[in-house]
Amino acid sequence: MYLTNEQEAILRGEEGWAKKKCLEIIVALGEIYGADRLIPVASTQISGVSYKTLGEYGLQWVESLAPAKVVVPSTLNPAGMDLGGWSEMGVPEDFAAKQMRVIRAYAKLGVTTLCSCTPYLAGFAPRFREHVAWSESSAVCFVNSYLGARTNREGGPSALASAITGLTANYGLHLDENRRPTAIVKVSAKLAGLSDYSALGYRLGKLLQQHIPYLRGLPTLGVDEAKALSAAAAASGNLALFHAEGFTPESEVSVGEVRERLHIDDKDLKGVYEELSTIRSGNIDLVAIGCPHSSLTELKAAAALLKGKKVSPATKLWFFTSLPVKVLAERLGFVDVIEGAGGKVFTDCCMIVAPLEQMGFTTMAVNSAKAALYAPTASKVEVVFTTFEKCIDIALEGRLR
Ligand code: F3S
């Protein structure tokens, strides 16, 4: 792989230990994947933030990189708690202390401590054809597909290494030839709400482990639909890019070597709701909305459904979003309505990376296929995957019927 004189100097340690280590990570990845050179990135998004997933060794690695500083705009994935409201969530104090240490370690490196899987809704949206190094899988799929930016699915350490060096290796989805669709998927399923897009994403990811799909027949694909679809497809099948006819910026490129033709119908989507739900009735401790982090539109819809109603004392109704979106939702009065009805709007975290198992929850309702897929193992809870409206109904009734 070609390296410039400046890059060689970094590898010799002339710009410090941390930068040398970070560049070594990027060069090693480049060599594994056959990159010809390193290319600059415009931004990074770094996973491995919740202490639950990062752990002590991960924390020590992040701390060890100071006094290095990031050289491009960089944000973080959700942490394990609302950084201001963790005690209201019932997060144990020892976990909170470790979590704050993680946040301080990233802040010391100059990372913007926006902890969100949807930074593109909060002022950090890459532009068309821009090379970036992002690691949250749902955001990777969203920015590649919906914005036409270019990123591989980075791990937390490699995204942090890109943040500190400003570089990534030129392979995979950074290259035109690897972005062409290789499977055509006709979607005839009726897509009535965001959970249907989530179910579609889940089914796509499952069916197409090694393909880039070209979707035909979607009735619409707004930001919220694309975010729901991206998250589920990336979770069930590592999908990092899809094209949707008439909606995504690269859908005009020629279809590559098409090796698969598939069809997804109503029956397929119905099957996803059944497959991912581990409970069919009974008490639900937590209704959790915001995987990926809720947009202003979703919080507005929630406020409309909750106006004048009361959440059952048997259940908690929690929304997860980013701090900037919550600030706007407060200004627009949505948070007052949601919290007046007994719900809560938390920032910086989510139902999967928070230590739910230590917080006494055993059953959860979600409108996200990704959350439903991960919850039983990540948070040790039984789960029901259903629509947004049904989630709100469960919260009002306190149980699933
Ligand atoms: Fe985001 Fe957590 Fe879901 S990071 S995509 S809300 S699992």
Side-chain angles (χ1 to χ4, degrees), residues 77-78 117 136 138 231 290-293 320 349-353 368 370-371 374:
N77 227 23
C117 48
E136 158 53 35
S138 67
C291 172
H293 273 175
F320 297 98
C349 61
C350 79
M351 68 292 267
I352 297 302
V353 297
S368 157
K370 173 174 177 174
Y374 286 178

Side-chain angles (χ1 to χ4, degrees), residues 219-253:
T220 187
L221 191 72
V223 170
D224 287 320
E225 290 84 8
K227 136 174 122 60
L229 195 159
S230 297
S236 67
N238 297 328
L239 207 80
L241 169 64
F242 67 87
H243 302 286
E245 193 169 61
F247 295 109
T248 57
E250 290 169 78
S251 66
E252 303 305 317
V253 300

